[in-house]
Amino acid sequence: MRFKDNPTVINPPKIRFYAGVALYDKTGNYPIGVLCIKDIKPRKFTPADIDKLVELAKKAEQELNRTYN
């Protein structure tokens, strides 16, 4: 998805970097949120960075499912 017209991109805080991983409910496989990181500085993500974000998202998803299901 493109964010060039998003208010947080064209106005303060002027987000320049966004990466997110969807989180899902384990019982119905419904999306329940997104673990995301944002920054006002442009950044590049390495494959290792992506792996770390996905692993953190898996842990967050497990915790959400443990707590609420």
Side-chain angles (χ1 to χ4, degrees):
M1 176 177 225
R2 299 187 60 101
F3 291 96
K4 69 178 183 176
D5 296 330
N6 186 293
T8 63
V9 171
I10 59 177
N11 300 310
K14 295 195 180 241
I15 300 298
R16 295 295 176 254
F17 175 84
Y18 174 93
V21 178
L23 306 175
Y24 292 90
D25 169 70
K26 70 177 177 183
T27 57
N29 204 35
Y30 296 108
I32 56 175
V34 176
L35 178 74
C36 66
I37 55 176
K38 303 176 194 177
D39 200 343
I40 58 173
K41 298 177 188 174
R43 297 189 178 272
K44 292 187 180 186
F45 240 28
T46 67
D49 293 332
I50 294 168
D51 290 344
K52 289 175 188 174
L53 182 61
V54 169
E55 185 61 33
L56 186 57
K58 286 180 187 176
K59 290 180 181 184
E61 188 176 82
Q62 289 170 351
E63 185 64 23
L64 286 168
N65 279 295
R66 184 180 70 80
T67 304
Y68 297 109
N69 290 318

